[in-house]
């Protein structure tokens, strides 16, 4: 609001003084910017973990899991709320002498405080009012005051919605302390918080310089609303018209188009032998970091292509890349309106009609597993499992956004995909659903588990933080034991996930990539988050060229669509596209690969996958069966072939008539 008022004042000045000297225009703008920085500073980084556990202290704590290190905005408790992972700092006693403090480790201009209550399924605790104190040495403290004395800030009225309080005047200090004065009558002193502050320049501060992160990429580091996102796509398309195309896959509940950008050396068409890759983000509208990373990625690839970066040029020339930054623009609008710090953990997560897109796909796992368990009944194929009729009905609880994604997945022969999410730092691979109905967590492997684990590790290992053993867990889960990766079902079971559906209904291997602890980081954090994820985003795309590829043709050289490609020892097949081409992701090794198609003889061959990047060419030429050729000839001459069983019945009837 302050920024909008200042921009309005600046516009009025220009209207009233159209011939003002450039000096005064620049001077006024500088004054307005100074005014803005006086009243507003970005978060110090409690939520993003930039503030370490060692910088948080408290008077007392109820137990370790409720210590000062847990007093971070939006931190989530474990289901069991154990001694290690609870959802707030909670004081050991309920009295007005309790406090929690932050050591900024350098002089900082503090401008505001954001608070929440305790995240908990079982209890209700929050602070309703508090004082703020600052200090330079952590011994002598100054209370923030107003005209009537010590200023009492209004706290929370429930446990999840963040409440922002700006200091009446910015204060410069190293330490800031929050002193609860009242709390929910039926609860206790519990808080989660974020501090707004601008660190002051200090060239002698080694700690700060060591932890600074900068980027040399000239990109648009800001949060983009729907209109700005669309404009940015147009800008990229204008910069790189020969390798980009903007299109939409459908509309949201509120009729916003779901825009995607294609990056390819021949945009708009599928090239035989060239794999298709996709990144999507924003299925949960409030998890906005993935959205901005995709927008940054499309800018980066355009710039690097124009600069002649051989790695990016090679990737674009050999891959058809699709980037869909906002699957749920309606939810994003809600989160964007609240802002990066005040949206809480869930505002904007769901679609306008309250559906979680990420878990809104058909449950094909149960169909497959029931078929495998009941061997006497009709078998369900291990791939391209049809969508159940009930799901396709108009009365089914399916978001329009989900239907648009499914239609998109069925139209384009994607090989590999990643959906970017937020709130954690981990890559989750399928299955996402537990096979046993009696368990909520259980490792449930796909037949391609070894490939999925490699794909997950390829992203996690090249991320700046995911596999760093020194980093703090975001909330309650420590994914270090799996090198920053996790099987979705061993984390928490989900029916109808996009990953499982993609694997069982299409040829595409899809993974969920959680790109940051903070779902909606402040704009000032975007350059660092880009540096954290840039290499991983590129490396993961390159994995689409790992395994085997080829074309299945008939003896006349025509591609055969819907031919089934199987790999010996892997109980999951894929199918050729409309031109007969296919791609099969595999780890290095020797594989016996088979192909079969209706009306054609089956064939097999051994294909070797090496360690170097680049899929092994593994083509097939198959001929029609004798019966298929007979049928084709008879159709050509206007006759229908008679099946052998019908022919035998007719012969027997003729013989009986002759015997009479």
């Amino acid at each position: 609001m302050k920024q909008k008022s200042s921009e309005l004042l600046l516009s009025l000045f220009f209207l009233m003084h159209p011939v003002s000297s450039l000096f005064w225009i620049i001077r006024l703008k500088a004054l307005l910017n100074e005014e803005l920085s006086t009243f507003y500073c970005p978060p110090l980084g409690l939520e993003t973990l930039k503030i370490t556990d060692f910088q948080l202290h408290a008077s007392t704590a109820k137990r370790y899991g409720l210590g000062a290190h847990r007093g971070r905005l939006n931190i989530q408790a474990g289901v069991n709320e154990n001694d290690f992972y609870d959802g707030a700092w909670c004081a050991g006693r309920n009295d007005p002498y309790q406090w929690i403090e932050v050591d900024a480790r350098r002089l900082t201009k503090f401008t505001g405080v954001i608070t929440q209550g305790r995240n908990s399924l079982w209890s209700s605790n929050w602070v309703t009012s508090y004082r703020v104190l600052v200090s330079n040495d952590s011994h002598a403290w100054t209370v923030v005051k107003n005209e009537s004395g010590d200023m009492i800030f209004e706290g929370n009225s429930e446990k999840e919605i963040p409440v922002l309080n700006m200091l009446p005047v910015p204060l410069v200090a190293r330490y800031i302390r929050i002193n609860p004065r009242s709390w929910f009558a039926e609860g206790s002193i519990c808080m989660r918080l974020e501090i707004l502050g601008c660190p002051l320049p200090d060239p002698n501060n080694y700690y700060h310089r060591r932890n600074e992160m900068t980027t040399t990429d000239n990109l648009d580091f800001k949060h983009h609303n729907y209109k700005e996102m669309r404009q940015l796509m147009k800008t990229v398309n204008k910069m790189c018209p020969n390798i980009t195309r903007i299109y939409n896959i459908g509309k949201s509940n509120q009729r916003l188009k779901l825009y995607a950008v294609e990056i390819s050396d021949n945009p708009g068409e599928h090239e035989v032998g060239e794999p298709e890759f996709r990144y999507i983000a924003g299925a949960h509208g409030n998890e906005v970091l993935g959205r901005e990373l995709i927008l940054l990625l499309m800018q980066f690839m355009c710039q690097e292509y124009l600069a002649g970066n051989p790695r990016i040029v090679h990737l674009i020339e050999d891959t058809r890349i699709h980037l869909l930054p906002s699957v749920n623009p309606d939810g994003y609008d809600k989160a964007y309106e609240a802002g990066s710090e005040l949206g809480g953990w869930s505002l904007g997560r769901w679609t306008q009609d309250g559906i979680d897109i990420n878990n809104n796909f058909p449950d094909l796992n149960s169909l497959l597993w029931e078929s495998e368990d009941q061997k006497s009944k009709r078998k369900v194929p291990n791939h391209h499992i049809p969508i159940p009729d009930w799901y396709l009905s108009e009365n089914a609880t399916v978001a329009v956004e989900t239907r648009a994604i499914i239609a998109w997945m069925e139209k384009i022969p994607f090989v590999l995909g990643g959906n970017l999410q937020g709130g954690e730092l981990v890559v989750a691979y399928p299955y996402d659903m537990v096979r046993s109905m009696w368990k909520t967590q259980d490792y449930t492997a796909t037949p391609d588990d070894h490939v999925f684990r490699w794909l997950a590790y390829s992203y996690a290992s090249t991320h700046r933080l995911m596999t760093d053993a020194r980093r703090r867990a975001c909330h309650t889960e420590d994914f270090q034991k799996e090198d920053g990766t996790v099987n979705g079902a061993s984390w928490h079971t989900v029916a109808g996930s996009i990953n499982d559906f993609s694997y069982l209904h299409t040829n595409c291997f899809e993974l969920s990539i959680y790109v940051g602890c903070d779902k909606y980081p402040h704009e000032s954090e975007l350059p660092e988050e880009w540096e954290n994820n840039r290499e991983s985003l590129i490396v993961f795309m390159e994995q689409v060229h790992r395994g085997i590829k080829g074309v299945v043709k008939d003896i006349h050289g025509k591609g055969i669509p819907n031919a089934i490609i199987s790999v010996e020892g892997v109980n999951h097949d894929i199918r050729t596209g409309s031109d007969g081409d296919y791609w099969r992701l595999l780890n290095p090794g020797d594989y016996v690969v088979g192909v079969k198609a209706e009306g054609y003889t089956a064939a097999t061959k051994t294909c070797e996958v090496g360690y170097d990047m680049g899929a092994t060419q593994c083509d097939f030429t198959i001929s029609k069966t004798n019966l298929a050729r007979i049928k084709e000839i008879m159709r050509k001459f206007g006759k229908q072939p008679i099946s052998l069983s019908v022919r035998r019945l007719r012969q027997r009837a003729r013989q009986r008539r002759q015997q009479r």
Side-chain angles (χ1 to χ4, degrees):
M1 184 64 70
K2 191 76 177 175
Q3 185 173 0
K4 291 180 180 178
S5 300
S6 300
E7 290 172 352
L8 178 60
L9 182 59
L10 186 60
S11 300
L12 289 173
F13 182 88
F14 292 157
L15 290 173
M16 295 169 63
H17 304 82
V19 293
S20 297
S21 69
L22 181 61
F23 170 81
W24 286 110
I25 294 174
I26 295 174
R27 178 60 180 156
L28 177 59
K29 195 167 184 178
L31 289 171
L32 293 177
N33 288 335
E34 184 178 342
E35 179 193 9
L36 287 174
S37 63
T38 299
F39 284 89
Y40 181 76
C41 283
L44 286 185
L46 276 75
E47 184 174 8
T48 61
L49 306 183
K50 185 176 289 186
I51 296 295
T52 69
D53 289 352
F54 299 106
Q55 292 174 259
L56 300 173
H57 308 278
S59 52
T60 59
K62 188 168 290 187
R63 59 174 181 268
Y64 177 80
L66 293 169
H69 64 291
R70 301 296 294 177
R72 301 172 180 273
L73 193 73
N74 286 320
I75 204 164
Q76 301 294 293
V79 175
N80 299 320
E81 299 183 30
N82 57 36
D83 282 347
F84 291 96
Y85 300 118
D86 280 307
W89 161 69
C90 290
R93 300 186 300 272
N94 291 330
D95 62 46
Y97 305 106
Q98 304 304 308
W99 48 262
I100 180 172
E101 73 179 44
V102 180
D103 176 6
R105 286 184 170 163
R106 62 184 298 180
L107 287 179
T108 301
K109 181 168 64 177
F110 297 114
T111 61
V113 178
I114 304 172
T115 60
Q116 282 173 310
R118 176 182 174 184
N119 174 252
S120 171
L121 294 173
W122 320 109
S123 59
S124 297
N125 304 280
W126 58 83
V127 169
T128 56
S129 68
Y130 59 88
R131 294 190 309 169
V132 175
L133 303 87
V134 294
S135 172
N136 285 324
D137 58 9
S138 78
H139 296 291
W141 292 88
T142 300
V143 181
V144 174
K145 297 181 179 296
N146 56 18
E147 297 81 2
S148 58
D150 292 356
M151 187 169 183
I152 304 297
F153 294 90
E154 185 176 348
N156 301 87
S157 57
E158 56 90 74
K159 56 189 175 184
E160 289 297 339
I161 299 177
V163 173
L164 166 66
N165 279 299
M166 301 300 292
L167 303 186
V169 177
L171 295 175
V172 175
R174 172 175 168 173
Y175 301 88
I176 185 168
R177 178 178 286 185
I178 311 303
N179 167 221
R181 305 301 292 175
S182 61
W183 45 93
F184 178 51
E186 298 177 17
S188 57
I189 297 176
C190 292
M191 297 185 79
R192 291 176 287 169
L193 67 152
E194 181 63 86
I195 304 297
L196 304 183
C198 298
L200 300 183
D202 183 1
N204 298 317
N205 191 318
Y206 168 74
Y207 172 82
H208 178 72
R209 285 186 284 114
R210 184 186 62 183
N211 288 277
E212 279 185 334
M213 171 56 63
T214 58
T215 182
T216 58
D217 295 328
N218 183 25
L219 307 174
D220 190 17
F221 293 106
K222 60 168 286 184
H223 288 295
H224 298 81
N225 61 27
Y226 184 81
K227 182 178 179 181
E228 292 167 339
M229 178 188 75
R230 176 78 174 105
Q231 184 57 48
L232 180 60
M233 289 179 169
K234 288 182 177 179
T235 300
V236 171
N237 179 239
K238 188 175 181 180
M239 286 177 59
C240 296
N242 296 329
I243 62 165
T244 62
R245 177 178 71 100
I246 303 172
Y247 66 101
N248 75 81
I249 69 166
K251 294 183 179 179
S252 71
N253 181 279
Q254 296 298 294
R255 311 302 296 166
L256 296 177
K257 290 181 179 179
L258 307 179
Y259 284 111
V261 167
E262 174 193 340
I263 304 178
S264 167
D265 59 343
N266 285 296
E269 61 180 272
H270 170 71
E271 297 181 70
V272 176
E274 187 169 292
E276 310 243 5
F277 177 92
R278 69 169 178 255
Y279 271 133
I280 68 173
H284 297 149
N286 64 328
E287 295 172 10
V288 307
L289 178 55
R291 170 194 180 107
E292 296 305 328
L293 287 175
I294 288 182
L295 294 176
L296 291 167
L297 180 64
M298 65 178 68
Q299 297 173 66
F300 177 79
M301 295 193 72
C302 172
Q303 291 181 7
E304 293 300 301
Y305 182 85
L306 294 176
N309 181 330
R311 183 185 186 190
I312 300 302
V313 171
H314 179 72
L315 186 59
I316 291 173
E317 290 180 346
D318 291 352
T319 320
R320 191 179 181 207
I321 300 164
H322 303 259
L323 306 177
L324 179 63
S326 187
V327 176
N328 179 11
D330 301 344
Y332 175 82
D333 281 351
K334 293 180 181 178
Y336 183 82
E337 186 177 349
S340 62
E341 317 309 324
L342 301 181
W345 188 251
S346 60
L347 181 65
R349 175 184 177 92
W350 299 280
T351 63
Q352 185 67 25
D353 45 356
I355 296 175
D356 185 338
I357 295 175
N358 197 52
N359 311 329
N360 192 223
F361 293 81
D363 171 15
L364 303 182
N365 304 58
S366 297
L367 293 177
L368 174 64
W369 294 336
E370 287 173 9
S371 171
E372 291 177 346
D373 294 340
Q374 300 173 5
K375 297 180 181 179
S376 61
K377 295 188 177 181
R378 183 177 64 87
K379 294 286 289 182
V380 169
N382 65 16
H383 68 289
H384 285 250
I385 300 174
I387 297 174
D389 291 339
W390 65 264
Y391 186 91
L392 299 173
S393 69
E394 293 184 2
N395 296 328
T397 306
V398 182
V400 293
E401 296 89 346
T402 309
R403 295 192 189 278
I405 297 169
I406 291 175
W408 187 47
M409 295 165 73
E410 292 180 329
K411 180 180 179 181
I412 299 176
F414 292 113
V415 179
L416 177 63
N419 58 89
L420 306 188
Q421 302 190 44
E424 268 297 350
L425 265 177
V426 69
V427 182
Y429 55 91
Y431 288 123
D432 289 329
M433 182 178 176
V434 169
R435 183 158 186 161
S436 171
M437 67 176 64
W438 309 111
K439 296 181 179 179
T440 58
Q441 293 176 304
D442 190 34
Y443 197 110
T444 308
T446 68
D448 285 287
D449 188 62
H450 57 298
V451 178
F452 275 115
R453 290 173 66 181
W454 167 258
L455 293 170
Y457 185 70
S458 72
Y459 194 100
S461 62
T462 48
H463 189 280
R464 286 188 61 254
L465 297 175
M466 277 191 191
T467 55
D468 187 348
R470 298 167 298 175
R471 78 168 180 89
R472 182 192 188 282
C474 291
H475 298 281
T476 64
E477 303 283 349
D478 184 359
F479 297 108
Q480 289 303 313
K481 59 183 180 296
E482 297 293 337
D483 291 320
T485 70
V486 67
N487 172 258
S490 70
W491 185 10
H492 52 261
T493 186
V494 170
S497 78
I498 186 173
N499 294 341
D500 290 3
F501 173 78
S502 181
Y503 182 68
L504 294 175
H505 185 66
T506 76
N507 288 343
C508 184
F509 287 30
E510 178 118 3
L511 295 83
S512 294
I513 303 169
Y514 293 79
V515 291
C517 299
D518 187 350
K519 289 185 176 185
Y520 196 155
H522 188 266
E523 203 165 87
S524 61
E525 299 288 338
L526 293 179
E528 181 170 351
E529 293 294 356
W530 168 245
E531 288 294 321
N532 289 341
N533 288 276
R534 179 184 57 194
E535 180 65 14
S536 299
L537 290 165
I538 298 169
V539 166
F540 188 73
M541 283 192 288
E542 292 172 333
Q543 303 313 304
V544 77
H545 296 283
R546 185 174 295 280
I548 61 174
K549 66 178 181 179
V551 180
V552 179
K553 302 177 182 178
D554 62 19
I555 58 175
H556 303 293
K558 183 179 179 181
I560 301 172
N562 288 318
I564 298 174
I565 306 295
S566 60
V567 177
E568 188 176 281
V570 183
N571 187 31
H572 181 77
D573 304 331
I574 64 167
R575 297 192 182 190
T576 57
S578 58
D579 298 305
D581 51 353
Y582 77 90
W583 304 262
R584 182 56 163 96
L585 297 177
L586 292 167
N587 286 345
D590 293 335
Y591 298 92
V592 177
V593 182
V595 60
K596 60 183 179 180
E598 186 176 356
Y600 292 84
T601 56
T604 61
K605 65 169 58 176
T606 299
C607 302
E608 180 183 358
V609 177
Y611 287 89
D612 294 336
M613 188 60 68
T616 300
Q617 195 74 29
C618 192
D619 297 326
F620 290 87
T621 299
I622 55 179
S623 58
K624 290 186 176 180
T625 62
N626 290 335
L627 179 59
R629 285 199 295 270
I630 291 170
K631 289 181 177 180
E632 185 179 43
I633 292 170
M634 296 189 73
R635 279 196 299 269
K636 184 177 181 180
F637 292 98
K639 297 180 180 180
Q640 294 297 321
I642 301 173
S643 68
L644 293 177
S645 58
V646 173
R647 183 176 298 173
R648 291 193 187 98
L649 289 173
R650 290 181 178 178
Q651 287 177 343
R652 290 170 184 170
R654 192 180 303 115
Q655 290 172 355
R656 283 196 294 271
R657 286 196 300 270
Q658 291 173 351
Q659 291 173 357
R660 291 173 186 170

